[in-house]
Amino acid sequence: MEKRVPFFSAIVFFLLLLLAASANVNGDQRSTYVVHMSSSLRPSTSPTQFHWYSCTLRSLPRNIRRPLGRIIYTYDRVATGFAASLSAAQAAALRRLPHVLAVIPDRPRFLHTTHTPSFLRLSPTSGLWPQSSFASSVVVAVLDTGIFHYSRSFNDPDLSPPPSTFHSSCDFLNSSSASGPCSNKLVGAKFFYRGYEAALGRPMDESRESKSPLDTMGHGTHTASTAAGAVVSGASFLGYAEGEARGIATGARIAAYKICWTAGCFDTDILAAMDAAVADGANVISLSVGANGHPPAYFRDSIAIGAFGAARNGVIVSCSAGNSGPGPYTSVNIAPWIITVGASTVDRHFPANVVLGDGSLYNGVSLYAGSDNVTAADLPLIYGGDGGSRFCVSGLLNSSIVSGKIVLCDRGGNARVEKGSAVKLAGGVGMILANTKENGDELIADPHLIPATTVGASAGDKIRAYISSASTPTATIVFQGTIIGDDPPAPKVAAFSSRGPNYRTLEILKPDVIAPGVNILAAWTGASSPTDLDIDPRRVDFNIISGTSMACPHVSGIAALLRGAYPDWSPAAIKSAIMTTAYNLDDAGETIKDLYTGEPSTPFVRGSGHVDPNKALDPGLIYDAGVEDYLTFLCANNYTSAQISVFTRDATGLNCSSKTSVKPGDLNYPSFSVVFSNSSDVVTHKRTVKNVGGSSCGDSNCKVYEAEISSPPAVNVTVRPTKLEFDSVNQSLSYEITFASITGTDSSSSHQFGWISWSDGVHQVRSPMAFSWRRQGHVSSM
């Protein structure tokens, strides 16, 4: 039986006819559109979605139906609808149909990487990437837990042969050829274990770890692919952060040096690996390893010593600052010839928010990807402390209390993901992991084994208060997948990121810079779970983890790109370019915040600021330094000749008697950390800068840089001269900068900060300034 056409459909049909009649001559030009449909309005006469979509197209007025739109895709999971090639008139007609929700023109979305290259504004068509030829002539030595050479991140068949200056071996087990699994991308793989076995007092257990360069932990694979991984399409972690993965220096070659084992990374192995990397011909050493606790004196620090030798040979050394924040004096790898990197957030988030029974909502993050659903309805909520263990330690939770409930667990005491497993074993159905005061409102996303999310310390306090006050507390966790945007603003400095002041030399500001280190996607090993827990059976190609370990290889990759662009620049020059072009405002235009306090960060937290690779390509001026400058610096630290001899490699050491007036702050460093001995002290430093900003200098038009100073209330800062006039490229000029503590100003309660910038109208060569006052032999607290 023929069905009557409803009255509203007749009106729609009439309007479509009018629209078609008014179509212009360009109405037949076809484009691709996504047509979103209302599934509730699908007629019962359509046996399939595709039939419904086809009928919708065939229902268009005859005069615009031809040629009929071609369905390209159908959607039934993330959306209901289809994509089709349509004329403008057809698209307009579809928009008028009651069961069509939206008709959206297709538009190009540029390939995403692990997202940090995009966040760093690296482009394949302009800036540092093409200007450095993607660092194809550069080798990055990654000293870490080895490398999972099966990963697609280490296979690029389009790469040319590696530079002839690099010579290494590929020491994997059961290699079928001289090069083994190595390639034009992975150009070397070695392992260093003797120090480890010596510390064990026995051979390592090869049933638990591989005595080869193979990465069975994942950390080294992650850092190597971050620094210089090849382009990999279709990368994601359990569906999160989908897109194209690539390292910062995509074309650079990777040499893996395995130095870390189950019990740690031993100095003897580290130094041997650094030695081998330099001998092999590496250009950059990336080392996401450091001391626990305070850093040792430079002359006792194998990393500092090895890095000094690397710098002597023109090799750049990039190191992580450590994950011991938010306390002061926690940065390690603080020698001035090392680039020391702290960790920051990016504008990609994995929200999983908590909605309580009273309607209040608290922001959280999670990488949970299971099928269990805790978002359908409110579930009973308890505090772990009321169920036997506030830290949700396995075996301590009371199943009669926890069963069927979401549990609020405090951070600390055991692994974050392990807490969820403990909740599950006790019969719980979900977890809210709450930061404690030490972590502030920093949100680290974890791949939980049960539906779970992490909230900040302030949210945790409010949720506990709700649990204790409500008669029947309930909660819902709402998982939202991957979100990219400027809410909340980025970057922010991670609470865990280690900070200054410099424990060994107050006059050298550390860390040097910050870089992406929170929730970073990169390659992973197939030999370990994403959580590195025995209770986790999952295996993934890519993992999302956080740490200054993740920030370090970002800067290693940038250094490799700069080495490719400027093969004759010294390690100090490359470091200077990275530091003086760093930025200090987030994408909301405010000073980069500290996730620990929620307040604006200081140079003791963010160093010179957040790295900006493209600006580093053209820094304008550089602060250069070499071996002799660093030896003078060691003298200024009152080291003896015998202590300095580990750097000079000469038993006579160095005669420092001629350098008695030199102070540590006199090193030609791109930042300033000034220590006053009293409230009326005056400190003067000399700096030398080299013009690398191009030649725009003629007989009457020279390159002139003018100083701009921002000084804090308690310090008067003056510079002489106030203008630097360069006659040629690579010319060096010096200036003196004087810092005078102002008598009568309250400077005892905290450090104070400022900056100096040299500008020629194009370049901003910026250096942060930090000021401290000694009180009875100590420096005032942060």
Side-chain angles (χ1 to χ4, degrees):
M1 179 183 292
E2 184 177 345
K3 300 179 72 173
R4 289 179 179 267
V5 178
F7 178 73
F8 71 88
S9 294
I11 294 177
V12 170
F13 184 75
F14 178 71
L15 291 173
L16 291 176
L17 286 175
L18 291 178
L19 180 63
S22 63
N24 58 37
V25 293
N26 294 323
D28 288 335
Q29 184 174 349
R30 307 181 73 76
S31 300
T32 303
Y33 295 82
V34 177
V35 182
H36 293 269
M37 307 279 278
S38 173
S39 59
S40 64
L41 295 179
R42 173 185 166 186
S44 58
T45 54
S46 290
T48 65
Q49 297 282 72
F50 186 83
H51 178 268
W52 182 34
Y53 304 152
S54 298
C55 289
T56 298
L57 290 177
R58 287 197 297 269
S59 71
L60 295 176
R62 290 182 182 276
N63 63 327
I64 64 170
R65 192 189 301 171
R66 301 297 179 191
L68 190 65
R70 182 172 63 88
I71 294 177
I72 299 170
Y73 292 108
T74 60
Y75 309 106
D76 61 0
R77 295 296 180 91
V78 298
T80 300
F82 61 96
S85 176
L86 305 168
S87 69
Q90 289 171 338
L94 285 172
R95 289 189 179 99
R96 300 287 184 174
L97 295 176
H99 56 280
V100 173
L101 301 176
V103 182
I104 302 173
D106 197 10
R107 56 181 177 174
R109 304 281 182 164
F110 298 99
L111 292 172
H112 284 176
T113 66
T114 56
H115 184 64
T116 47
S118 174
F119 183 69
L120 294 171
R121 296 181 287 275
L122 287 165
S123 166
T125 58
S126 63
L128 185 53
W129 265 351
Q131 290 294 316
S132 66
S133 298
F134 296 86
S136 61
S137 63
V138 178
V139 178
V140 179
V142 181
L143 279 60
D144 213 296
T145 63
I147 196 161
F148 191 67
H149 54 282
Y150 304 103
S151 170
R152 291 177 292 163
S153 292
F154 310 124
N155 180 26
D156 187 348
D158 296 327
L159 272 182
S160 60
S164 59
T165 53
F166 185 81
H167 303 281
S168 188
S169 58
C170 194
D171 299 340
F172 285 97
L173 298 174
N174 303 319
S175 296
S176 58
S177 66
S179 62
C182 289
S183 63
N184 287 341
K185 182 62 173 177
L186 179 58
V187 295
K190 297 181 176 180
F191 58 106
F192 299 84
Y193 62 92
R194 294 174 186 169
Y196 170 48
E197 288 194 337
L200 287 177
R202 57 174 173 78
M204 71 178 73
D205 182 355
E206 295 188 55
S207 68
R208 297 183 59 84
E209 50 189 333
S210 175
K211 189 182 286 189
S212 79
L214 179 67
D215 181 14
T216 57
M217 301 181 193
H219 192 276
T221 299
H222 199 281
T223 55
S225 61
T226 298
V231 178
V232 178
S233 60
S236 73
F237 172 66
L238 303 176
Y240 287 93
E242 290 182 305
E244 180 185 77
R246 68 163 79 209
I248 299 300
T250 312
R253 319 313 170 103
I254 297 169
Y257 298 80
K258 185 173 180 179
I259 58 167
C260 294
W261 308 87
T262 300
C265 321
F266 290 83
D267 274 358
T268 49
D269 297 331
I270 294 171
L271 200 57
M274 296 179 84
D275 195 66
V278 172
D280 291 343
N283 307 105
V284 178
I285 290 177
S286 184
L287 183 61
S288 293
V289 171
N292 286 329
H294 294 307
Y298 303 125
F299 64 89
R300 292 195 182 102
D301 187 345
S302 292
I303 292 177
I305 295 167
F308 186 95
R312 183 195 294 273
N313 285 275
V315 178
I316 307 148
V317 180
S318 169
C319 292
S320 50
N323 299 333
S324 299
Y329 300 98
T330 49
S331 283
V332 296
N333 299 320
I334 52 176
W337 45 87
I338 292 173
I339 306 177
T340 310
V341 189
S344 59
T345 64
V346 298
D347 61 350
R348 181 179 62 197
H349 317 284
F350 309 102
N353 298 331
V354 175
V355 182
L356 300 180
D358 62 3
S360 56
L361 182 148
Y362 299 98
N363 294 328
V365 296
S366 179
L367 296 171
Y368 172 70
S371 59
D372 296 338
N373 185 7
V374 296
T375 64
D378 285 352
L379 292 170
L381 172 68
I382 68 162
Y383 176 46
D386 299 328
S389 173
R390 60 176 287 232
F391 294 124
C392 296
V393 176
S394 183
L396 298 184
L397 289 172
N398 188 330
S399 60
S400 64
I401 299 174
V402 170
S403 182
K405 298 181 178 65
I406 295 175
V407 183
L408 176 70
C409 303
D410 289 340
R411 184 170 171 179
N414 55 342
R416 299 189 299 270
V417 173
E418 197 172 19
K419 297 173 187 289
S421 177
V423 169
K424 185 176 182 178
L425 288 172
V429 294
M431 178 182 70
I432 301 169
L433 176 60
N435 284 350
T436 54
K437 180 181 178 181
E438 290 75 18
N439 309 109
D441 289 328
E442 165 187 271
L443 297 180
I444 303 297
D446 289 309
H448 294 286
L449 296 168
I450 66 169
T453 188
T454 300
V455 299
S458 58
D461 291 341
K462 293 173 183 176
I463 296 173
R464 287 187 208 92
Y466 164 74
I467 292 172
S468 63
S469 63
S471 57
T472 55
T474 61
T476 299
I477 304 174
V478 182
F479 299 92
Q480 299 181 47
T482 305
I483 302 293
I484 295 176
D486 56 6
D487 184 20
K492 291 183 173 67
V493 186
F496 64 74
S497 187
S498 292
R499 291 110 193 277
N502 187 320
Y503 182 75
R504 290 294 167 186
T505 310
L506 292 168
E507 293 85 354
I508 298 296
L509 183 60
K510 290 287 182 171
D512 292 308
V513 289
I514 55 173
V518 177
N519 299 331
I520 304 302
L521 175 75
W524 197 248
T525 178
S528 179
S529 70
T531 60
D532 200 29
L533 296 173
D534 292 338
I535 58 174
D536 186 354
R538 298 171 296 181
R539 295 296 182 268
V540 295
D541 293 331
F542 291 85
N543 198 4
I544 294 175
I545 56 177
S546 301
T548 57
S549 284
M550 285 63 255
C552 167
H554 281 86
V555 174
S556 304
I558 294 170
L561 292 167
L562 290 172
R563 166 62 77 228
Y566 302 110
D568 296 329
W569 278 16
S570 70
I574 288 174
K575 176 177 179 176
S576 173
I578 293 171
M579 290 174 63
T580 62
T581 57
Y583 61 88
N584 289 270
L585 302 180
D586 63 22
D587 50 22
E590 299 181 350
T591 301
I592 294 170
K593 300 292 195 303
D594 181 353
L595 275 171
Y596 173 59
T597 63
E599 300 297 322
S601 62
T602 72
F604 284 145
V605 176
R606 68 179 187 269
S608 293
H610 192 282
V611 292
D612 191 332
N614 290 321
K615 285 191 176 179
L617 177 65
D618 184 20
L621 305 175
I622 55 172
Y623 294 79
D624 210 349
V627 169
E628 292 304 316
D629 301 291
Y630 296 135
L631 291 174
T632 300
F633 164 81
L634 293 171
C635 284
N637 277 270
N638 297 318
Y639 283 6
T640 66
S641 177
Q643 291 166 342
I644 295 175
S645 65
V646 298
F647 300 97
T648 62
R649 290 182 247 178
D650 185 342
T652 60
L654 183 69
N655 184 357
C656 292
S657 59
S658 61
K659 307 177 187 297
T660 54
S661 62
V662 177
K663 302 179 291 294
D666 290 331
L667 180 65
N668 200 42
Y669 211 66
S671 59
F672 297 90
S673 183
V674 180
V675 182
F676 294 115
S677 59
N678 55 64
S679 61
S680 59
D681 196 10
V682 177
V683 175
T684 298
H685 291 313
K686 179 181 178 181
R687 291 289 191 269
T688 300
V689 288
K690 181 188 291 186
N691 173 31
V692 295
S695 178
S696 61
C697 185
D699 292 339
S700 60
N701 180 29
C702 286
K703 182 71 88 173
V704 177
Y705 283 82
E706 296 190 24
E708 181 182 359
I709 295 172
S710 175
S711 55
V715 183
N716 182 35
V717 182
T718 57
V719 61
R720 294 182 183 177
T722 58
K723 292 183 180 181
L724 298 174
E725 186 172 311
F726 294 91
D727 296 325
S728 61
V729 179
N730 293 326
Q731 179 186 5
S732 294
L733 294 175
S734 299
Y735 68 89
E736 282 191 348
I737 184 166
T738 299
F739 311 97
S741 178
I742 300 174
T743 303
T745 303
D746 181 13
S747 58
S748 61
S749 60
S750 67
H751 298 277
Q752 295 191 9
F753 306 94
W755 50 264
I756 178 173
S757 178
W758 292 93
S759 175
D760 63 350
V762 176
H763 306 91
Q764 295 286 338
V765 188
R766 191 178 188 275
S767 297
M769 302 185 297
F771 302 98
S772 308
W773 285 261
R774 293 188 185 274
R775 291 290 180 269
Q776 296 180 347
H778 298 281
V779 174
S780 58
S781 61
M782 292 182 72

